[in-house]
Coordinates of all heavy atoms in Angstrom, one line a residue:
Q23 N 0.8 -1.2 0.0 CA 0.0 0.0 0.0 C 0.9 1.3 0.0 O 0.5 2.3 -0.6 CB -0.9 0.0 1.2 CG -2.0 -1.1 1.1 CD -2.9 -1.2 2.3 OE1 -2.6 -0.7 3.4 NE2 -4.1 -1.8 2.1
L24 N 2.0 1.2 0.6 CA 3.0 2.3 0.6 C 3.6 2.4 -0.8 O 3.9 3.6 -1.2 CB 4.0 2.2 1.7 CG 3.6 2.4 3.1 CD1 4.7 2.1 4.1 CD2 3.1 3.9 3.3
S25 N 4.0 1.3 -1.4 CA 4.7 1.4 -2.7 C 3.9 2.1 -3.8 O 4.5 2.6 -4.7 CB 5.1 -0.1 -3.1 OG 3.9 -0.8 -3.5
A26 N 2.6 2.1 -3.7 CA 1.8 2.7 -4.7 C 1.5 4.2 -4.4 O 0.9 4.9 -5.2 CB 0.5 2.0 -4.8
A27 N 1.9 4.6 -3.2 CA 1.5 6.0 -2.7 C 2.1 7.1 -3.5 O 3.3 7.1 -3.8 CB 1.8 6.1 -1.2
D28 N 1.3 8.2 -3.7 CA 1.9 9.5 -4.2 C 1.9 10.4 -3.0 O 2.6 11.4 -3.0 CB 1.0 10.0 -5.3 CG 0.9 9.1 -6.5 OD1 2.0 8.9 -7.1 OD2 -0.1 8.6 -6.9
L29 N 1.1 10.1 -2.0 CA 1.0 10.9 -0.8 C 0.7 10.0 0.4 O -0.2 9.1 0.3 CB -0.1 12.0 -0.9 CG -0.4 12.8 0.4 CD1 0.8 13.8 0.7 CD2 -1.7 13.6 0.3
V30 N 1.4 10.1 1.5 CA 1.1 9.3 2.7 C 0.6 10.2 3.8 O 1.2 11.2 4.1 CB 2.4 8.5 3.1 CG1 2.2 7.8 4.5 CG2 2.9 7.5 2.1
V31 N -0.5 9.8 4.4 CA -1.1 10.5 5.5 C -0.9 9.7 6.7 O -1.4 8.6 6.9 CB -2.6 10.8 5.2 CG1 -3.2 11.4 6.5 CG2 -2.8 11.6 4.0
L32 N -0.1 10.2 7.6 CA 0.0 9.6 9.0 C -1.1 10.1 9.8 O -1.1 11.2 10.3 CB 1.4 10.0 9.6 CG 2.7 9.6 8.9 CD1 3.9 9.9 9.8 CD2 2.7 8.2 8.5
N33 N -2.1 9.2 9.9 CA -3.4 9.6 10.6 C -3.3 9.3 12.1 O -2.4 8.5 12.6 CB -4.5 8.9 10.0 CG -5.9 9.5 10.3 OD1 -5.9 10.7 10.6 ND2 -6.9 8.8 10.3
K34 N -4.2 9.9 12.9 CA -4.3 9.7 14.3 C -3.0 10.1 15.1 O -2.7 9.5 16.1 CB -4.6 8.2 14.6 CG -5.8 7.7 13.9 CD -6.1 6.2 14.2 CE -7.2 5.6 13.3 NZ -7.4 4.2 13.6
T35 N -2.3 11.1 14.6 CA -1.1 11.5 15.2 C -1.4 12.2 16.6 O -0.5 12.3 17.4 CB -0.3 12.5 14.4 OG1 -1.1 13.5 13.9 CG2 0.3 11.8 13.1
D36 N -2.7 12.5 16.8 CA -3.1 13.1 18.1 C -3.1 12.1 19.2 O -3.2 12.5 20.4 CB -4.4 13.8 17.9 CG -5.5 12.9 17.4 OD1 -5.2 12.1 16.5 OD2 -6.6 12.9 17.9
L37 N -3.0 10.8 18.8 CA -3.1 9.7 19.8 C -1.7 9.3 20.3 O -1.6 8.4 21.1 CB -3.9 8.5 19.3 CG -5.3 8.8 18.8 CD1 -5.9 7.6 18.3 CD2 -6.1 9.5 19.9
V38 N -0.6 9.8 19.7 CA 0.7 9.4 20.1 C 1.6 10.7 20.3 O 1.2 11.8 19.9 CB 1.4 8.5 19.0 CG1 0.6 7.2 18.8 CG2 1.5 9.3 17.7
G39 N 2.8 10.5 20.8 CA 3.7 11.6 21.1 C 4.6 11.9 19.9 O 4.6 11.1 18.9
A40 N 5.4 12.9 20.0 CA 6.2 13.3 18.9 C 7.2 12.3 18.5 O 7.6 12.1 17.3 CB 6.9 14.6 19.2
A41 N 7.8 11.6 19.5 CA 8.7 10.5 19.2 C 8.2 9.4 18.4 O 8.8 8.9 17.5 CB 9.3 10.0 20.5
A42 N 6.9 9.0 18.7 CA 6.2 8.0 17.9 C 6.0 8.4 16.4 O 6.2 7.6 15.5 CB 4.9 7.6 18.5
V43 N 5.7 9.7 16.3 CA 5.5 10.2 14.9 C 6.8 10.1 14.1 O 6.8 9.8 13.0 CB 4.9 11.6 14.9 CG1 4.9 12.2 13.5 CG2 3.5 11.7 15.6
E44 N 7.9 10.5 14.8 CA 9.2 10.4 14.1 C 9.5 9.0 13.8 O 10.0 8.7 12.7 CB 10.3 11.0 15.1 CG 10.2 12.5 15.2 CD 11.3 13.0 16.1 OE1 12.3 12.2 16.4 OE2 11.3 14.1 16.5
R45 N 9.2 8.0 14.6 CA 9.5 6.6 14.3 C 8.7 6.1 13.1 O 9.3 5.4 12.2 CB 9.3 5.7 15.6 CG 10.2 5.9 16.7 CD 10.1 4.8 17.7 NE 8.8 4.9 18.4 CZ 8.6 5.6 19.6 NH1 9.6 6.3 20.1 NH2 7.4 5.6 20.2
V46 N 7.4 6.5 13.1 CA 6.6 6.0 12.0 C 7.0 6.7 10.7 O 7.0 6.1 9.6 CB 5.1 6.2 12.3 CG1 4.2 5.8 11.1 CG2 4.7 5.4 13.6
T47 N 7.3 8.0 10.8 CA 7.8 8.7 9.6 C 9.0 8.0 9.0 O 9.1 7.8 7.8 CB 8.1 10.1 9.9 OG1 7.0 10.8 10.4 CG2 8.6 10.9 8.7
A48 N 10.0 7.6 9.9 CA 11.2 6.9 9.4 C 10.8 5.6 8.8 O 11.4 5.1 7.8 CB 12.2 6.8 10.6
L49 N 9.9 4.9 9.4 CA 9.4 3.6 9.0 C 8.9 3.6 7.6 O 9.3 2.9 6.7 CB 8.4 3.0 9.9 CG 7.7 1.7 9.5 CD1 8.7 0.5 9.7 CD2 6.5 1.4 10.4
V50 N 7.9 4.6 7.3 CA 7.3 4.6 6.0 C 8.3 5.2 5.0 O 8.2 4.8 3.8 CB 6.0 5.5 6.0 CG1 5.0 4.8 7.0 CG2 6.3 6.9 6.4
R51 N 9.2 6.1 5.4 CA 10.2 6.6 4.5 C 11.1 5.5 3.8 O 11.5 5.7 2.7 CB 11.1 7.6 5.2 CG 10.5 9.1 5.2 CD 10.8 9.7 3.8 NE 10.0 10.9 3.6 CZ 9.4 11.1 2.5 NH1 9.5 10.3 1.4 NH2 8.7 12.2 2.3
E52 N 11.3 4.5 4.6 CA 12.1 3.4 4.0 C 11.4 2.7 2.8 O 12.1 2.1 2.0 CB 12.3 2.3 5.1 CG 13.1 2.7 6.3 CD 13.2 1.6 7.3 OE1 12.7 0.5 7.1 OE2 13.8 1.9 8.4
E53 N 10.1 2.9 2.7 CA 9.4 2.3 1.6 C 9.0 3.3 0.4 O 8.4 2.9 -0.6 CB 8.0 1.7 2.1 CG 8.2 0.7 3.3 CD 9.0 -0.5 2.9 OE1 9.0 -0.9 1.8 OE2 9.6 -1.0 3.8
L54 N 9.5 4.5 0.6 CA 9.0 5.6 -0.3 C 10.2 6.2 -1.0 O 11.3 6.4 -0.5 CB 8.3 6.6 0.4 CG 7.0 6.2 1.2 CD1 6.5 7.4 2.1 CD2 5.9 5.7 0.3
P55 N 10.0 6.6 -2.3 CA 11.0 7.5 -2.9 C 10.9 8.9 -2.3 O 9.9 9.3 -1.8 CB 10.6 7.5 -4.4 CG 9.1 7.2 -4.4 CD 8.9 6.3 -3.2
P56 N 12.0 9.7 -2.4 CA 12.0 11.0 -1.8 C 10.9 11.9 -2.3 O 10.5 12.9 -1.6 CB 13.4 11.6 -2.2 CG 14.2 10.4 -2.5 CD 13.3 9.3 -3.1
S57 N 10.4 11.7 -3.5 CA 9.4 12.6 -4.1 C 8.0 12.5 -3.4 O 7.2 13.4 -3.6 CB 9.2 12.3 -5.6 OG 8.8 11.0 -5.8
V58 N 7.8 11.4 -2.7 CA 6.5 11.2 -2.0 C 6.4 11.9 -0.7 O 7.3 11.7 0.2 CB 6.2 9.7 -1.8 CG1 4.9 9.5 -1.1 CG2 6.1 9.0 -3.2
K59 N 5.5 12.8 -0.6 CA 5.4 13.6 0.6 C 4.6 12.8 1.7 O 3.7 12.0 1.5 CB 4.6 14.9 0.4 CG 4.5 15.8 1.6 CD 3.7 17.1 1.2 CE 4.4 18.0 0.3 NZ 3.7 19.3 0.1

């Protein structure tokens, strides 16, 4: 689902802290080309 993405929305970020958002951002970034926001 990430490999087909043109845009990734990290949803429910209000339910976690900033550190968790950073971890998930790094996780999805591993599957995405730099052009995908």
Side-chain angles (χ1 to χ4, degrees):
Q23 290 175 342
L24 286 173
S25 71
D28 298 300
L29 174 71
V30 174
V31 176
L32 300 187
N33 199 25
K34 308 179 185 178
T35 53
D36 55 318
L37 303 181
V38 297
V43 173
E44 288 183 13
R45 288 191 294 268
V46 175
T47 301
L49 175 71
V50 300
R51 270 280 163 224
E52 293 177 3
E53 308 296 331
L54 302 172
S57 59
V58 176
K59 182 181 291 187

